[in-house]
Amino acid sequence: MIIVLKPKTKKDEIEHVMEKVKEHGWKPMIFEGVERTVIHVIGEIHDEDPQNGFSSIPCVEKVVRILKPYKLASNEHHPQPTVIKIGDVKVGAGNFTVIAGPDSVESENQILKSAEIMKKNGIKIMRASAFKPRTSPYSFQGMGVEGLKLLKKAKDKTGIIVETEVMDVRDVPIATEYADVLRVGARNMQNFDLLKEVGKVNKPVILKRGMSSTIKEFLMAAEYIMLNGNPNVILCERGIRTFETAYRNTLDLEAVVILKQETHLPVIVDPSHAAGNRDLILPLCRAAAAVGADGLIVEVHPDPEKASCDGAQSLYPEQLTQMLKEVKAVCNAVGKKM
Ligand code: PEP
Ligand code: MN
């Protein structure tokens, strides 16, 4: 339920409404807009509950029931698109943000080189994982905390903003210390304890869609993070499992359209983990921009043939330059600022 207050409602009147909400055993969350204050009521609200009790308070303009299972993530609750500020980068609402970088941190030389390539191409946020979710326990498992330190070194040397994956609640404090943006990977989209934990940090979180998750489940996962106090969630479509075997996953661009209708949160696209093959990345990037995504997260490696993970889907640096040029043209056509 949402309680919309009249313009210029005074502090003590807001307090009064909040107290009333609490009397019902519900949790009030307050959102102050430019014109109006809105109180979002979290809790089990049944049809027979006294909405009218709230409607009759003089400072209340209207009471709106939200029937969608996701509330904080819903457009109904927050009609304006959310803009997430990361340093001087704005994600969402008319901006098109490209995040790029290698799959993983592999060495000091590799990550510094990567950061320089990103800077040269005007990329302000670099991705690179230190904690790696691998299907096989025999595959490269990531550099762990050592990798986080190298990532921070690359940030300190070049000024680039850094983004990295967290796989476990125990990773969250140290990753928060070294990185600017946290990522919850597809395999952990429903790791509810992890979602709650990243909900408690004050860094933006990129939440990737689980490979077999519905859009509703995806938004409910975002809801976990938001309900725990972190409103800065960026949703990422990264391909879903289908019967098709010609590529790694099916990039669900239709989901981007639906998400943009359902939520105010920014939605970005990861073509790399959908394609699994660098030859498909460029057209998928153009398509993502055309369909209304708010940005991309793309794997790029200084020397993909030597990559410890996901080399086949990593762009060569010169392919990144070309991709940015083409995507910028699409952004111009659809009225997005890149
Ligand atoms: C990644 O971004 O490196 C990754 C492992 O992606 P996903 O969680 O989408 O598989
Ligand atoms: Mn990868």
Side-chain angles (χ1 to χ4, degrees):
M1 185 166 79
I2 288 171
I3 303 171
V4 182
L5 303 180
K6 290 180 182 160
K8 301 199 180 101
T9 296
K10 297 200 181 71
K11 269 207 152 51
D12 57 328
E13 293 175 306
I14 298 176
E15 276 305 318
H16 174 66
V17 180
M18 304 267 278
E19 278 313 312
K20 277 234 168 256
V21 170
K22 287 183 200 155
E23 279 171 22
H24 285 280
W26 302 327
K27 181 179 165 191
M29 284 178 96
I30 185 159
F31 294 86
E32 298 190 59
V34 184
E35 285 196 7
R36 276 178 176 69
T37 296
V38 163
I39 297 171
H40 194 100
V41 181
I42 313 277
E44 287 277 330
I45 301 167
H46 304 288
D47 283 343
E48 65 275 15
D49 281 333
Q51 284 182 57
N52 289 339
F54 289 97
S55 311
S56 59
I57 301 173
C59 67
V60 171
E61 186 168 285
K62 61 178 173 185
V63 179
V64 185
R65 284 290 304 275
I66 291 196
L67 301 172
K68 299 224 165 113
Y70 38 88
K71 300 177 193 304
L72 299 173
S74 157
N75 261 342
E76 287 178 19
H77 150 74
H78 192 297
Q80 296 304 322
T82 283
V83 183
I84 298 180
K85 294 196 188 79
I86 313 173
D88 62 348
V89 180
K90 286 187 187 141
V91 184
N95 300 289
F96 193 86
T97 311
V98 181
I99 301 168
D103 171 87
S104 319
V105 184
E106 296 164 2
S107 68
E108 179 166 347
N109 183 40
Q110 172 257 10
I111 202 67
L112 280 175
K113 242 188 182 158
S114 300
E116 273 150 23
I117 292 163
M118 299 312 133
K119 292 282 284 186
K120 210 176 108 204
N121 281 281
I123 301 285
K124 295 195 167 163
I125 308 176
M126 177 171 72
R127 61 149 290 144
S129 305
F131 302 111
K132 286 296 308 160
R134 301 309 301 274
T135 302
S136 165
Y138 301 110
S139 301
F140 172 64
Q141 299 288 307
M143 292 184 77
V145 175
E146 208 45 48
L148 289 179
K149 289 183 181 163
L150 294 179
L151 198 55
K152 177 72 164 51
K153 209 166 184 178
K155 174 190 161 117
D156 292 343
K157 278 212 161 160
T158 63
I160 200 154
I161 296 165
V162 292
E163 184 265 14
T164 203
E165 176 157 357
V166 283
M167 291 207 301
D168 189 297
V169 288
R170 291 167 297 185
D171 303 339
V172 175
I174 189 111
T176 308
E177 192 182 324
Y178 287 109
D180 306 297
V181 182
L182 304 182
R183 173 175 10 108
V184 174
R187 289 156 190 81
N188 277 308
M189 191 206 82
Q190 286 190 315
N191 179 339
F192 299 114
D193 285 337
L194 182 60
L195 298 176
K196 287 181 200 164
E197 204 63 22
V198 297
K200 292 180 201 143
V201 306
N202 66 348
K203 301 254 163 120
V205 176
I206 295 180
L207 175 66
K208 298 186 91 173
R209 182 182 181 187
M211 56 189 89
S212 302
S213 298
T214 64
I215 293 171
K216 187 168 143 190
E217 287 163 345
F218 190 16
L219 287 168
M220 291 307 285
E223 192 80 11
Y224 262 95
I225 301 175
M226 299 176 85
L227 186 57
N228 280 277
N230 190 346
N232 296 318
V233 180
I234 300 167
L235 301 169
C236 177
E237 161 59 38
R238 48 77 74 201
I240 51 172
R241 281 234 165 123
T242 66
F243 52 83
E244 187 51 72
T245 55
Y247 41 70
R248 191 170 172 181
N249 291 288
T250 299
L251 187 62
D252 186 5
L253 291 178
E254 204 166 0
V256 176
V257 182
I258 305 269
L259 286 167
K260 294 298 295 175
Q261 289 166 357
E262 290 291 310
T263 179
H264 54 91
L265 297 172
V267 181
I268 63 170
V269 167
D270 171 354
S272 307
H273 293 84
N277 167 3
R278 73 174 71 82
D279 296 341
L280 301 176
I281 306 296
L282 221 153
L284 295 179
C285 289
R286 291 194 302 255
V291 89
D294 298 296
L296 295 164
I297 178 164
V298 185
E299 288 185 338
V300 181
H301 195 284
D303 188 354
E305 288 166 43
K306 295 210 178 100
S308 304
C309 179
D310 288 345
Q313 68 195 33
S314 299
L315 296 180
Y316 286 95
E318 54 278 15
Q319 288 180 306
L320 170 67
T321 311
Q322 180 65 18
M323 183 274 277
L324 292 170
K325 197 173 130 201
E326 295 188 18
V327 168
K328 199 174 169 77
V330 179
C331 285
N332 286 340
V334 297
K336 282 248 159 113
K337 204 162 79 205
M338 182 175 152

